[in-house]
Amino acid sequence: MDAFRQWAFDRRDPTHSQRVYDWWSRHDRVYAAFVTAFLLGRTGELRDRTIAALSLAPGDTVLDVGCGPGSNFERLADAVGPTGTVVGVDASPGMVERARARGEQFDCNIDVVRADTERLPVANERVDGVCATLSLSAMGDTETVVAGLSDVSRPGGRIAVLDVRSFQTAPLRWLNPLIEGVSAAVTNWYPDAPIMQTVDETFAAVSSETFHGGTVYVVTGSKLD
Ligand SMILES: C[S@@+](CC[C@H](N)C(=O)[O-])C[C@H]1O[C@@H](n2cnc3c(N)ncnc32)[C@H](O)[C@@H]1O
């Protein structure tokens, strides 16, 4: 099983990521079912918590990083209202197409840009909030990505990350080689991405909550004024 996991880990890179997420973008029901399974049926509640932690106000600009098919757009549009702006960034052309179509359904400026999060197409100190749901763990270089998210945040702006990590304790931990290998192959997952630690080192007033025995977490913080 360790050999399988290593085989899958060795295949992770931006090209693999775009290939798998373009596939997911064409199978949105399977994608929704996969996310529901990953979050053990609490998807809506966990997205609500994440977006509430951003404390967005009408007129704000919020960045949805690795926005996928626009799964957060309805909630984000509700939070910033018709005078606010949601900027979705994703590297997968298929996901960008889906997200643009979904964005048209809401009464809010929703701008979806195809870009790699390591080179964000957003001016420094531009956004009031950064939302990252199930996306940072699919990106290779956590430190570079989180530093970029801090750069584009205005002083006082908030970040909220919802993500998933491997089982923390036995006996479920024994399943990790299988789950990590399958997830790396089908989602470009980096289970060891130091997301909580990097948010803690980069942002201020960081707090986190964990769910499902520590496998799911929401970590939030603010950029120093
Ligand atoms: C598991 S999906 C999560 C989508 C969405 N945030 C959600 O909650 O359903 C991960 C997304 O991150 C995107 N992604 C992965 N690496 C990326 C990168 N380096 N830059 C931009 N987007 C990336 C993928 O294309 C994919 O749409």
Side-chain angles (χ1 to χ4, degrees):
M1 206 54 76
D2 286 343
F4 164 67
R5 173 169 55 179
Q6 196 55 50
W7 174 85
F9 280 14
D10 290 345
R11 266 141 200 82
R12 296 173 304 190
D13 68 12
T15 311
H16 175 68
S17 173
Q18 282 183 37
R19 199 168 46 244
V20 295
Y21 284 109
D22 277 348
W23 186 90
W24 286 111
S25 75
R26 294 191 300 276
H27 300 86
D28 45 355
R29 287 193 187 166
V30 191
Y31 176 77
F34 185 78
V35 170
T36 301
F38 241 59
L39 299 179
L40 297 179
R42 292 174 70 180
T43 315
E45 175 202 335
L46 291 165
R47 289 191 193 280
D48 285 344
R49 279 176 183 268
T50 308
I51 289 161
L54 292 172
S55 304
L56 294 166
D60 277 354
T61 296
V62 60
L63 172 65
D64 187 357
V65 68
C67 65
S71 320
N72 297 317
F73 284 179
E74 183 170 6
R75 290 174 174 82
L76 293 172
D78 277 350
V80 300
T83 58
T85 302
V86 178
V87 180
V89 171
D90 203 283
S92 149
M95 285 297 192
V96 166
E97 198 180 314
R98 285 264 170 213
R100 284 186 178 143
R102 184 168 293 182
E104 284 170 10
Q105 300 170 19
F106 307 111
D107 183 19
C108 175
N109 310 306
I110 298 187
D111 212 1
V112 183
V113 185
R114 183 182 170 220
D116 188 321
T117 306
E118 288 187 29
R119 290 175 293 280
L120 281 170
V122 179
N124 280 355
E125 303 197 351
R126 174 75 186 83
V127 306
D128 302 287
V130 173
C131 171
T133 58
L134 307 174
S135 56
L136 296 193
S137 61
M139 301 173 188
D141 185 345
T142 305
E143 284 90 351
T144 301
V145 170
V146 174
L149 297 176
S150 169
D151 288 343
V152 301
S153 298
R154 68 161 175 76
R158 295 185 60 74
I159 184 169
V161 179
L162 164 65
D163 225 308
V164 180
R165 58 187 177 179
S166 305
F167 289 117
Q168 304 292 298
T169 51
L172 289 173
R173 200 173 58 196
W174 299 333
L175 295 172
N176 284 345
L178 175 64
I179 292 171
E180 290 174 358
V182 171
S183 299
V186 304
T187 72
N188 207 56
W189 194 35
Y190 291 82
D192 297 331
I195 295 169
M196 293 173 96
Q197 180 194 330
T198 309
V199 170
D200 189 41
E201 289 166 359
T202 312
F203 287 84
V206 171
S207 64
S208 58
E209 272 186 289
T210 59
F211 308 88
H212 299 318
T215 54
V216 177
Y217 58 89
V218 176
V219 57
T220 64
S222 313
K223 181 163 168 176
L224 273 180
D225 274 320

Coordinates of all heavy atoms in Angstrom, one line a residue, residues 88-125:
G88 N -13.3 34.8 -8.3 CA -12.9 33.3 -8.2 C -11.7 33.1 -9.1 O -11.6 33.6 -10.2
V89 N -10.8 32.3 -8.5 CA -9.5 32.0 -9.2 C -9.4 30.5 -9.3 O -9.5 29.8 -8.2 CB -8.3 32.6 -8.6 CG1 -7.0 32.1 -9.2 CG2 -8.3 34.1 -8.7
D90 N -9.2 29.9 -10.4 CA -9.0 28.5 -10.5 C -8.1 28.2 -11.8 O -8.1 28.9 -12.8 CB -10.3 27.7 -10.7 CG -10.2 26.3 -10.2 OD1 -9.6 25.5 -11.0 OD2 -10.6 26.0 -9.1
A91 N -7.3 27.2 -11.6 CA -6.3 26.8 -12.7 C -6.9 25.9 -13.8 O -6.4 25.8 -14.9 CB -5.1 26.1 -12.1
S92 N -8.1 25.3 -13.5 CA -8.6 24.3 -14.4 C -9.6 25.0 -15.4 O -10.6 25.6 -14.9 CB -9.4 23.2 -13.6 OG -10.5 22.7 -14.4
P93 N -9.4 25.0 -16.7 CA -10.3 25.6 -17.6 C -11.7 25.1 -17.5 O -12.7 25.9 -17.6 CB -9.7 25.2 -19.0 CG -8.3 24.8 -18.8 CD -8.2 24.3 -17.4
G94 N -11.9 23.8 -17.2 CA -13.2 23.3 -17.1 C -13.9 23.8 -15.9 O -15.1 24.2 -15.9
M95 N -13.2 23.9 -14.8 CA -13.8 24.5 -13.6 C -14.1 26.0 -13.8 O -15.2 26.5 -13.3 CB -12.9 24.3 -12.4 CG -12.8 22.9 -11.8 SD -14.4 22.4 -11.2 CE -13.9 20.9 -10.3
V96 N -13.3 26.7 -14.5 CA -13.5 28.1 -14.7 C -14.8 28.3 -15.5 O -15.7 29.2 -15.2 CB -12.3 28.8 -15.4 CG1 -12.6 30.1 -16.0 CG2 -11.1 28.9 -14.4
E97 N -15.0 27.5 -16.5 CA -16.2 27.5 -17.3 C -17.4 27.3 -16.5 O -18.4 28.0 -16.5 CB -16.1 26.5 -18.4 CG -17.0 26.7 -19.6 CD -16.8 25.6 -20.6 OE1 -15.7 25.2 -21.0 OE2 -17.8 25.1 -21.1
R98 N -17.4 26.3 -15.6 CA -18.5 26.0 -14.7 C -18.8 27.1 -13.8 O -19.9 27.5 -13.5 CB -18.2 24.7 -13.8 CG -18.2 23.5 -14.5 CD -19.6 22.8 -14.3 NE -19.7 21.7 -15.2 CZ -20.8 21.3 -15.7 NH1 -22.0 21.9 -15.5 NH2 -20.9 20.2 -16.5
A99 N -17.7 27.7 -13.2 CA -17.8 28.7 -12.2 C -18.4 30.0 -12.9 O -19.3 30.7 -12.3 CB -16.5 29.0 -11.6
R100 N -18.0 30.3 -14.1 CA -18.5 31.5 -14.8 C -20.1 31.3 -15.0 O -20.8 32.2 -14.8 CB -17.8 31.7 -16.1 CG -16.5 32.3 -15.9 CD -15.8 32.7 -17.2 NE -14.5 33.3 -16.9 CZ -13.4 33.1 -17.6 NH1 -13.4 32.4 -18.7 NH2 -12.3 33.7 -17.3
A101 N -20.4 30.1 -15.4 CA -21.9 29.9 -15.6 C -22.6 30.0 -14.3 O -23.7 30.6 -14.3 CB -22.1 28.5 -16.3
R102 N -22.1 29.5 -13.2 CA -22.8 29.5 -12.0 C -22.8 31.0 -11.5 O -23.9 31.4 -10.9 CB -22.1 28.7 -10.9 CG -22.9 28.7 -9.6 CD -22.4 27.6 -8.6 NE -22.7 26.3 -9.1 CZ -22.4 25.2 -8.4 NH1 -21.8 25.2 -7.3 NH2 -22.7 24.0 -8.9
G103 N -21.8 31.7 -11.7 CA -21.7 33.1 -11.2 C -22.8 34.0 -11.8 O -23.2 35.0 -11.2
E104 N -23.2 33.6 -13.0 CA -24.2 34.5 -13.7 C -25.6 34.4 -13.0 O -26.5 35.2 -13.2 CB -24.4 34.0 -15.1 CG -23.2 34.5 -16.0 CD -23.2 33.9 -17.4 OE1 -24.2 33.3 -17.8 OE2 -22.2 34.1 -18.1
Q105 N -25.7 33.4 -12.1 CA -27.1 33.2 -11.4 C -27.3 34.2 -10.3 O -28.4 34.3 -9.7 CB -27.2 31.8 -10.9 CG -27.1 30.7 -12.0 CD -27.0 29.4 -11.4 OE1 -27.3 29.1 -10.2 NE2 -26.5 28.4 -12.1
F106 N -26.2 34.9 -9.8 CA -26.4 35.7 -8.6 C -26.3 37.2 -8.8 O -25.6 37.6 -9.7 CB -25.3 35.2 -7.6 CG -25.3 33.7 -7.4 CD1 -24.3 32.9 -7.8 CD2 -26.5 33.1 -6.8 CE1 -24.4 31.5 -7.7 CE2 -26.5 31.7 -6.7 CZ -25.5 30.9 -7.1
D107 N -26.9 37.9 -8.0 CA -27.0 39.4 -8.1 C -25.8 40.0 -7.4 O -25.9 40.5 -6.3 CB -28.3 39.9 -7.5 CG -28.5 41.4 -7.6 OD1 -27.8 41.9 -8.5 OD2 -29.3 42.0 -6.9
C108 N -24.7 39.9 -8.0 CA -23.4 40.3 -7.4 C -22.4 40.3 -8.6 O -22.5 39.6 -9.6 CB -23.0 39.3 -6.4 SG -21.4 39.5 -5.6
N109 N -21.3 41.1 -8.4 CA -20.2 41.1 -9.5 C -19.4 39.8 -9.2 O -18.7 39.8 -8.2 CB -19.3 42.3 -9.4 CG -20.1 43.6 -9.3 OD1 -21.0 43.8 -10.2 ND2 -19.9 44.4 -8.3
I110 N -19.5 38.9 -10.1 CA -18.6 37.7 -9.9 C -17.7 37.5 -11.1 O -18.1 37.4 -12.2 CB -19.5 36.4 -9.7 CG1 -20.4 36.6 -8.5 CG2 -18.6 35.2 -9.6 CD1 -21.2 35.3 -8.1
D111 N -16.4 37.6 -10.8 CA -15.4 37.6 -11.8 C -14.6 36.4 -11.6 O -14.0 36.1 -10.6 CB -14.5 38.8 -11.4 CG -13.9 39.5 -12.6 OD1 -14.2 39.0 -13.7 OD2 -13.1 40.4 -12.4
V112 N -14.6 35.5 -12.6 CA -13.8 34.2 -12.5 C -12.6 34.3 -13.4 O -12.8 34.6 -14.6 CB -14.7 33.0 -12.8 CG1 -13.9 31.7 -12.6 CG2 -15.9 33.0 -12.0
V113 N -11.4 34.1 -12.9 CA -10.2 34.2 -13.6 C -9.5 32.9 -13.6 O -9.4 32.3 -12.6 CB -9.3 35.3 -13.0 CG1 -8.1 35.5 -13.8 CG2 -10.0 36.6 -12.8
R114 N -9.0 32.5 -14.8 CA -8.2 31.3 -14.8 C -6.7 31.7 -14.5 O -6.1 32.5 -15.2 CB -8.2 30.6 -16.2 CG -7.4 29.3 -16.1 CD -7.4 28.5 -17.4 NE -6.4 27.5 -17.2 CZ -5.5 27.1 -18.1 NH1 -5.5 27.7 -19.3 NH2 -4.6 26.2 -17.8
A115 N -6.2 31.2 -13.4 CA -4.8 31.5 -13.0 C -4.3 30.5 -12.0 O -5.1 29.8 -11.4 CB -4.7 32.9 -12.4
D116 N -3.0 30.4 -11.9 CA -2.4 29.6 -10.9 C -2.3 30.5 -9.6 O -1.9 31.6 -9.7 CB -1.0 29.2 -11.3 CG -0.3 28.2 -10.4 OD1 -0.5 28.3 -9.2 OD2 0.3 27.3 -10.9
T117 N -2.7 29.9 -8.5 CA -2.7 30.7 -7.3 C -1.3 31.1 -6.8 O -1.2 32.1 -6.1 CB -3.4 29.8 -6.1 OG1 -4.6 29.4 -6.6 CG2 -3.6 30.6 -4.9
E118 N -0.3 30.5 -7.4 CA 1.0 30.9 -7.0 C 1.4 32.3 -7.7 O 2.3 32.9 -7.3 CB 2.1 29.9 -7.4 CG 2.0 28.7 -6.4 CD 3.1 27.7 -6.7 OE1 4.2 28.1 -7.1 OE2 2.9 26.5 -6.4
R119 N 0.5 32.6 -8.7 CA 0.7 33.9 -9.4 C -0.6 34.6 -9.5 O -1.2 34.7 -10.6 CB 1.4 33.8 -10.8 CG 2.8 33.3 -10.7 CD 3.4 33.0 -12.0 NE 2.7 31.8 -12.6 CZ 3.0 30.5 -12.3 NH1 4.0 30.3 -11.4 NH2 2.4 29.6 -12.9
L120 N -1.1 35.1 -8.4 CA -2.5 35.6 -8.3 C -2.7 36.9 -9.2 O -1.9 37.8 -9.0 CB -2.9 36.0 -6.9 CG -3.2 34.8 -6.0 CD1 -3.3 35.3 -4.5 CD2 -4.6 34.2 -6.4
P121 N -3.7 36.9 -10.0 CA -3.9 38.1 -10.8 C -4.8 39.2 -10.1 O -5.8 39.7 -10.5 CB -4.8 37.5 -12.0 CG -5.5 36.4 -11.3 CD -4.7 35.9 -10.2
V122 N -4.3 39.5 -8.9 CA -5.1 40.4 -8.0 C -4.0 41.4 -7.4 O -2.9 41.0 -7.0 CB -5.8 39.6 -6.8 CG1 -6.5 40.6 -5.9 CG2 -6.7 38.6 -7.4
A123 N -4.4 42.7 -7.4 CA -3.5 43.7 -6.8 C -3.3 43.5 -5.3 O -4.2 43.0 -4.6 CB -4.0 45.1 -7.1
N124 N -2.1 43.9 -4.8 CA -1.8 43.8 -3.4 C -2.8 44.7 -2.6 O -3.3 45.7 -3.0 CB -0.4 44.3 -3.1 CG 0.6 43.2 -3.4 OD1 0.2 42.1 -3.8 ND2 1.9 43.6 -3.3
E125 N -3.2 44.2 -1.4 CA -4.1 44.8 -0.5 C -5.4 45.2 -1.1 O -6.0 46.2 -0.8 CB -3.4 46.1 0.1 CG -2.1 45.7 0.8 CD -1.5 46.8 1.7 OE1 -2.1 47.9 1.8 OE2 -0.6 46.4 2.4

